[in-house]
Amino acid sequence: MNLMELKKDIADKVNHPLYMFTGDEIAIRRIYTKKIADNFDGDVVEADSLDEVIPKLKTNSLFMSKKCLFIIYDDKTI
């Protein structure tokens, strides 16, 4: 996906299951991550690593009825 496609998806409020941003422009990544989170209809959770998120994805809980957007910055294990 290129930047123009990402901008269109954000404008159209289309969320894909996974976005992975790489590169040196940390401020740009945070801006677009915030825009995606603003469009998201559910809980937004910042996590330190993918290892922290995986157990939550495997759990079927009656209490987790809302969608959840996990945002991970600078995971050194990936």
Side-chain angles (χ1 to χ4, degrees):
M1 169 178 285
N2 64 39
L3 191 56
M4 294 306 291
E5 292 170 333
L6 177 61
K7 285 181 177 182
K8 184 177 180 333
D9 283 353
I10 290 171
D12 294 342
K13 297 187 178 189
V14 173
N15 289 317
H16 295 280
L18 175 69
Y19 290 99
M20 187 175 295
F21 299 100
T22 61
D24 296 330
E25 296 293 335
I26 295 169
I28 300 296
R29 284 190 276 163
R30 290 190 184 267
I31 288 168
Y32 282 101
T33 303
K34 180 172 180 351
K35 288 180 183 278
I36 292 168
D38 289 345
N39 282 343
F40 188 73
D41 182 32
D43 294 330
V44 178
V45 178
E46 288 194 24
D48 293 325
S49 69
L50 186 59
D51 291 337
E52 183 182 325
V53 173
I54 289 175
K56 295 176 184 178
L57 296 175
K58 291 181 178 180
T59 303
N60 286 334
S61 172
L62 294 173
F63 303 107
M64 199 166 175
S65 59
K66 276 188 127 179
K67 296 185 297 184
C68 208
L69 171 67
F70 294 100
I71 299 174
I72 303 168
Y73 293 113
D74 302 320
D75 186 345
K76 304 295 183 203
T77 61
I78 296 180

